[in-house]
Amino acid sequence: MKKINVKVAAWLLLGCMATSSCIGSFSLFNKLTSWETHMTDSKFVNAIVGFVINIVAIPVTLLVDSLVLNTIEFWSGDNPIEANVGKTKQVMGEDGRYYAVKTLKNGYEVTAPDGVVTNFFHNADNDSWSMEQNGVVKEIFRFNTDGTRRTIQAEVNGQTKEFTLNEAGVYEARMAAGDGVFFAMN
């Protein structure tokens, strides 16, 4: 038997991987071409600038798309470049029922099995999350900076309290909300 050269085996493996019908959406390349055609109002300027930057941009985007992004899309089902805005997923809640969760630009829209819609919105100005249901908006929590650590503000029994974002803070928040674990002794 003849020995197979390592280089030949590597090329065969690379060829198998390159021709393996794992074709993705090439979203990075598509975003580049969309940007090129709309960067100015003049199609002539777009063509000239596109010709100059395409010498480097096209090979790089195709390489990144084919080797990295399309592989991630193949295994996870989602391309990291594509925005998930407007997409809806069915998520099972702790109660065993399925909820429709739609991704919005600044939050989520959750539709319960009974049709009740609850919106969760992130406010980037004050770094807070709010909940809106039946026209009533209520801030759920807010992230505050106080030096090196971040805390959340939560309303518990009508009072605003701050909890640190660590195990002790989560425990304090659960106990304040009455969601702690209680033990009975004989």
Side-chain angles (χ1 to χ4, degrees):
M1 256 189 149
K2 293 182 179 180
K3 289 185 179 180
I4 296 178
N5 192 349
V6 175
K7 286 184 180 180
V8 172
W11 279 108
L12 286 173
L13 182 62
L14 182 65
C16 289
M17 289 173 53
T19 59
S20 67
S21 77
C22 174
I23 297 175
S25 61
F26 287 90
S27 59
L28 184 63
F29 175 77
N30 291 333
K31 285 187 184 274
L32 172 69
T33 56
S34 175
W35 172 79
E36 283 180 7
T37 57
H38 296 97
M39 71 176 119
T40 67
D41 291 334
S42 171
K43 65 181 178 179
F44 299 108
V45 173
N46 292 348
I48 292 168
V49 173
F51 180 75
V52 171
I53 67 171
N54 280 344
I55 295 169
V56 174
I58 294 293
V60 169
T61 57
L62 285 174
L63 183 70
V64 170
D65 258 336
S66 60
L67 294 180
V68 179
L69 299 175
N70 288 347
T71 305
I72 293 171
E73 182 178 5
F74 175 77
W75 289 107
S76 70
D78 293 326
N79 192 307
I81 297 296
E82 293 178 7
N84 288 327
V85 175
K87 292 187 178 179
T88 304
K89 289 189 176 184
Q90 296 293 322
V91 178
M92 182 184 287
E94 289 182 5
D95 58 359
R97 301 185 310 167
Y98 283 96
Y99 294 81
V101 179
K102 181 178 180 181
T103 305
L104 306 173
K105 187 175 181 178
N106 63 339
Y108 302 96
E109 176 184 278
V110 180
T111 305
D114 58 2
V116 175
V117 177
T118 305
N119 293 312
F120 296 94
F121 296 104
H122 180 255
N123 184 345
D125 295 335
N126 60 8
D127 203 7
S128 68
W129 280 89
S130 299
M131 178 179 79
E132 185 265 325
Q133 191 176 39
N134 298 326
V136 178
V137 178
K138 181 179 180 182
E139 185 176 287
I140 304 171
F141 59 88
R142 178 181 303 203
F143 294 94
N144 295 326
T145 56
D146 62 342
T148 58
R149 66 179 185 162
R150 293 174 64 90
T151 58
I152 58 169
Q153 280 187 335
E155 188 174 308
V156 179
N157 298 328
Q159 299 176 353
T160 301
K161 295 186 177 191
E162 289 192 4
F163 304 99
T164 58
L165 290 176
N166 57 22
E167 190 175 340
V170 171
Y171 176 76
E172 286 179 54
R174 290 186 72 184
M175 295 308 287
D179 190 26
V181 178
F182 301 97
F183 297 96
M185 295 183 71
N186 267 342

